Amino acid sequence: MKNYQQRTQNILNKTKKERRKRRWIRAAAITSACAVAITALNLTLFLPYPTPPERLSAYKGSEYYPIIQTVDRLTYRETSKKRPKNNWEKWTAAFANLFAIKGGADLGATPDIGIDFEDSVMDSATEWPEGDLPIAPGDDGNSSEGATGDNTSDGKYEEVTDNQVEGVIEGDLFKRTSDYIFHLRGGLIPTGDNLETAYDENTVYSGNGYVLSVYSIAKNQSKRVGRYEITPDQGMQFYTGDAEMYLSADGKTATIITPSFDRENATLYTAAISLNVSSPAAITETSRCYVSGNHVTSRLTDGKLLLVSNFRVKNQPNYDNPEDYLPQVGAAGEMESLPADNILLPEVKTGETARYTVVTTLHPDSLAVQGSYAFFAYSENVYVSKDNLFATRTVTQDERVNGFLLRESVTDVSCVSYAGETLAFKGSASVKGRVNNQYSMDEYDGKLRVFTTFESTTYEEHDHGDGHVSLLFRGSYTSASLYVVDLSDFSIASSVERFAPQGETVRAARFDKNKAYVCTAVEFTDPVFAFNLSDLANITYTDTGEIKGYSFSLTKFTDGTLLGIGYNGSRSLKIELYEETQTGVVSVACYEPDKYTSVSEEYKAHFIDAEHGYVGFFDIGAQEYVLLQFDGYSLREAFREPFISHAGQTRGCMVDGWMYILGTCGLKPVQVY
């Protein structure tokens, strides 16, 4: 039995244990409370803001929701003012701002409209006015000035443009009838034109817009018989580098296609403007139509005006405003978004640009909208056949082989038919390589033939173990390939891959039924290849071998020859004729001026009369127009005529032995024979 002291000590020990237990429980409770508080604080301060897709939940019921998701993934990024990732960044930034020295706000930032506009078509001596571009005094854009008299345009339409596809008319800066030449001058408006003088080197320019001039076809008695100024709508501004014009079959309606920039909303459109030119002395505007995006190209065929534009979405658009992220079409103030079913949305990689190629068909006279279709992420080359329109989109594809990364260019080609009453998507095909331009594509006998520049780059991958992988360049390979796509199922029916020497790229191409020609080059050394496509199971080709220079355009010419316009080894003008033989392609004649000569690379800027063997071009440095003729043996100069103009604005045509040269200073007739 325990004594008094033992019982007392036992009671004290139990009391100490209880006290320690209560202290431990209290400490644990305090620790837990602190942990909860710290966790709550971290959640408040450092939990990331909702990611962009969560911000889009309000649009889940929209027919455009897949497009919105794709657009948001491509356009949502940090702006120049850093967006806080969480409340900690937000609160510390706000605290810092309390003590920061306030600077001036950036009020003059240029809006991101995604377009690099071309310079004015005028020469460097001409200056654009500062601020808003003025309109010529007394001009409201709807007035007409012309010669007196009741002359009417009843002449027959005459084709002056070398169209890629017969019956599919391409726009140009000039068109003509049997009686008149219609010429569009863009950029600053030429003012003070003397209506009795067809050519005036002292032309003065002001304002922003176009002048449509009408000239009589009367040899050395030709004169300007009509003049009409085309100015932008209020708040808009024209960009004239890609303007085109059409003339109706009866010669009474002219249609102008031009990029038009909305300065208030920082939005770019393509405008189609219809003019009644039945009386050149009293031209009037009848209608305007707008399509979202910058003008790419257009065609006139079978009573339809096809308009192709490139619409780029601005960064972080407002999805409550359809015009911010959806292509639209219609009259000013009445534009409507394309239905979601009319927008092709392919798989798009992060890092690509949010943009559309928009295809619209309009009535050629009234400009009433007949149909619209858009390819998302398509923005490169467009080829138009008799019934179909093809748009290209180039992406890169990666393949890993034996520890190496192989990166190749692949082009998707999608097709829309315009043969029916509405536009209809037909299908897509993928070919390896990059398409140079519209002339590298051709539809014939249910097949699409495509020349591409094959591009492949090899990298060695190094994994650093921390999630970071670096790429070490190991080499690249370029060549040229030919693909034939069966349009019944968009499969590859035949191909000739990498037929050009290593390092060569496609510079020019031209198809002629079962024949095809392509010029490839490494800098200034080029072969020209001739392909026989009559048997797709056994495609054969021959070439010129190595010659100096290369051609940037190829076309059929007189006596079964092929005309190449390009550069020699010194990057000066070289015009050469080739002929295909049983064993190869040989040079028949070559023109190389004694002095350095620079010309426009725009195919339509050159006059080509294959039937009679004439080639005309504008010598930029000499400010002279040169006409060559092939006499069966050589290309000789028929004349050199002084002519003040801009390379991109100069055109020429021949009527009854007279050459009519058109440029920024008007029309100049020169007798040839």
Side-chain angles (χ1 to χ4, degrees):
M1 184 175 181
K2 296 181 180 179
N3 58 28
Y4 168 77
Q5 291 180 338
Q6 290 175 328
R7 290 195 299 272
T8 302
Q9 187 63 43
N10 191 32
I11 293 170
L12 292 174
N13 290 338
K14 289 182 178 180
T15 302
K16 289 180 180 180
K17 288 181 179 180
E18 291 293 334
R19 288 175 178 174
R20 285 197 298 270
K21 183 178 180 180
R22 286 194 295 270
R23 284 198 298 267
W24 182 87
I25 292 173
R26 187 183 302 113
I30 294 172
T31 301
S32 298
C34 290
V36 170
I38 292 172
T39 300
L41 182 62
N42 277 294
L43 289 174
T44 302
L45 293 177
F46 301 106
L47 184 67
Y49 285 151
T51 56
E54 295 178 9
R55 295 183 297 99
L56 306 179
S57 58
Y59 305 99
K60 285 186 176 179
S62 170
E63 62 175 316
Y64 301 107
Y65 185 61
I67 297 173
I68 291 174
Q69 288 179 301
T70 302
V71 167
D72 203 76
R73 177 163 55 87
L74 299 180
T75 64
Y76 188 86
R77 57 176 61 93
E78 306 298 340
T79 59
S80 57
K81 182 178 181 181
K82 185 180 177 183
R83 176 182 180 269
K85 298 178 180 178
N86 47 48
N87 279 323
W88 171 256
E89 290 192 1
K90 179 179 179 180
W91 293 351
T92 53
F95 181 77
N97 285 339
L98 293 176
F99 301 96
I101 299 176
K102 295 182 179 180
D106 181 12
L107 299 178
T110 301
D112 176 18
I113 58 174
I115 296 293
D116 295 325
F117 295 113
E118 295 189 18
D119 293 333
S120 164
V121 297
M122 303 311 301
D123 57 42
S124 58
T126 304
E127 297 184 357
W128 289 87
E130 296 183 0
D132 292 343
L133 294 173
I135 296 175
D139 179 24
D140 60 2
N142 292 304
S143 61
S144 180
E145 178 184 355
T148 59
D150 190 26
N151 52 328
T152 58
S153 179
D154 293 323
K156 178 184 175 183
Y157 176 81
E158 301 285 350
E159 188 58 76
V160 292
T161 303
D162 187 5
N163 302 304
Q164 182 182 4
V165 178
E166 185 178 356
V168 181
I169 301 173
E170 301 181 28
D172 204 348
L173 294 179
F174 82 115
K175 298 289 181 179
R176 84 171 183 93
T177 65
S178 54
D179 299 323
Y180 300 112
I181 294 176
F182 298 79
H183 180 225
L184 183 69
R185 288 183 284 176
L188 301 177
I189 295 175
T191 60
D193 291 347
N194 184 349
L195 287 172
E196 297 301 320
T197 303
Y199 179 75
D200 184 4
E201 294 183 2
N202 298 315
T203 303
V204 178
Y205 297 85
S206 68
N208 167 241
Y210 298 93
V211 162
L212 175 63
S213 295
V214 186
Y215 302 96
S216 60
I217 300 177
K219 301 178 180 179
N220 59 349
Q221 299 299 314
S222 297
K223 63 181 180 179
R224 186 183 290 109
V225 295
R227 179 184 186 277
Y228 184 80
E229 296 183 6
I230 308 164
T231 55
D233 283 331
Q234 184 68 32
M236 305 288 271
Q237 182 173 341
F238 288 150
Y239 289 93
T240 58
D242 296 320
E244 295 179 335
M245 178 177 65
Y246 293 92
L247 193 63
S248 61
D250 61 8
K252 296 183 179 181
T253 301
T255 304
I256 314 300
I257 313 296
T258 175
S260 186
F261 179 59
D262 184 337
R263 290 177 293 190
E264 180 179 355
N265 299 315
T267 303
L268 190 63
Y269 297 98
T270 295
I273 304 169
S274 182
L275 304 176
N276 183 341
V277 296
S278 57
S279 174
I283 299 173
T284 58
E285 180 176 327
T286 57
S287 58
R288 290 194 185 197
C289 181
Y290 290 91
V291 178
S292 298
N294 187 37
H295 175 230
V296 175
T297 190
S298 58
R299 298 291 189 276
L300 180 62
T301 177
D302 294 333
K304 297 178 182 178
L305 177 63
L306 277 76
L307 198 61
V308 184
S309 63
N310 186 340
F311 171 49
R312 176 170 173 175
V313 179
K314 290 180 285 187
N315 288 339
Q316 300 183 171
N318 182 351
Y319 300 112
D320 291 329
N321 298 329
E323 64 272 15
D324 281 6
Y325 71 98
L326 292 174
Q328 297 188 316
V329 61
E334 301 176 1
M335 299 185 69
E336 297 182 356
S337 301
L338 271 65
D341 291 341
N342 287 18
I343 299 175
L344 175 66
L345 183 63
E347 182 180 350
V348 181
K349 295 181 180 180
T350 300
E352 292 190 60
T353 303
R355 54 192 173 188
Y356 305 79
T357 290
V358 187
V359 183
T360 304
T361 55
L362 305 173
H363 188 281
D365 294 334
S366 66
L367 301 184
V369 179
Q370 297 174 330
S372 288
Y373 202 91
F375 302 87
F376 189 88
Y378 282 74
S379 60
E380 294 165 346
N381 296 297
V382 174
Y383 160 68
V384 183
S385 68
K386 187 66 176 176
D387 297 315
N388 300 312
L389 181 146
F390 300 86
T392 69
R393 165 182 175 254
T394 302
V395 298
T396 57
Q397 289 187 355
D398 293 345
E399 181 182 0
R400 286 167 176 80
V401 180
N402 299 325
F404 290 90
L405 176 67
L406 190 64
R407 181 164 290 167
E408 295 180 350
S409 295
V410 176
T411 295
D412 295 332
V413 184
S414 285
C415 174
V416 164
S417 171
Y418 66 88
E421 294 183 359
T422 60
L423 295 169
F425 175 70
K426 294 188 64 176
S428 299
S430 295
V431 294
K432 290 187 176 182
R434 186 180 301 274
V435 178
N436 183 39
N437 56 29
Q438 69 182 62
Y439 299 104
S440 293
M441 296 180 280
D442 178 80
E443 181 185 348
Y444 181 72
D445 196 22
K447 306 291 191 299
L448 176 70
R449 295 88 63 86
V450 185
F451 279 114
T452 69
T453 294
F454 176 83
E455 300 172 328
S456 176
T457 307
T458 302
Y459 299 94
E460 184 177 344
E461 292 186 302
H462 291 275
D463 191 343
H464 299 279
D466 56 356
H468 175 64
V469 178
S470 62
L471 300 177
L472 181 63
F473 174 78
R474 286 303 186 189
S476 63
Y477 184 90
T478 61
S479 184
S481 298
L482 170 67
Y483 293 94
V484 180
V485 179
D486 190 333
L487 296 179
S488 64
D489 59 3
F490 287 85
S491 62
I492 303 299
S494 183
S495 65
V496 182
E497 296 187 313
R498 310 182 195 183
F499 61 81
Q502 146 69 359
E504 303 244 331
T505 61
V506 174
R507 300 302 178 98
R510 183 69 73 155
F511 292 86
D512 180 18
K513 297 181 180 179
N514 282 323
K515 291 286 186 178
Y517 305 92
V518 61
C519 173
T520 65
V522 178
E523 293 184 353
F524 296 107
T525 302
D526 87 12
V528 175
F529 296 85
F531 282 78
N532 186 335
L533 305 176
S534 57
D535 183 2
L536 295 181
N538 183 32
I539 298 175
T540 60
Y541 62 90
T542 57
D543 65 83
T544 57
E546 185 175 300
I547 58 176
K548 291 296 183 182
Y550 68 86
S551 300
F552 51 72
S553 74
L554 292 172
T555 188
K556 295 183 296 180
F557 203 57
T558 185
D559 297 332
T561 60
L562 183 71
L563 173 69
I565 302 176
Y567 303 114
N568 60 21
S570 302
R571 200 177 172 82
S572 181
L573 174 68
K574 181 187 76 167
I575 298 179
E576 193 160 12
L577 294 184
Y578 304 97
E579 187 176 64
E580 184 181 4
T581 67
Q582 292 183 348
T583 58
V585 180
V586 298
S587 175
V588 175
C590 184
Y591 170 81
E592 293 183 76
D594 295 334
K595 61 180 181 179
Y596 176 82
T597 301
S598 177
V599 300
S600 171
E601 292 191 22
E602 166 60 52
Y603 179 71
K604 296 174 186 176
H606 310 299
F607 168 72
I608 299 174
D609 181 354
E611 182 180 358
H612 301 99
Y614 287 105
V615 182
F617 63 89
F618 179 62
D619 185 335
I620 299 173
Q623 289 285 286
E624 293 176 329
Y625 195 90
V626 183
L627 183 69
L628 306 179
Q629 185 179 24
F630 179 58
D631 58 10
Y633 301 95
S634 62
L635 284 165
R636 61 176 183 82
E637 290 188 3
F639 70 72
R640 271 185 174 268
E641 181 69 24
F643 191 74
I644 306 300
S645 188
H646 184 280
Q649 291 267 298
T650 307
R651 297 290 190 269
C653 68
M654 192 179 297
V655 183
D656 296 332
W658 283 75
M659 189 73 187
Y660 295 87
I661 312 169
L662 298 139
T664 53
C665 294
L667 175 144
K668 193 173 189 179
V670 179
Q671 187 173 13
V672 179
Y673 59 84

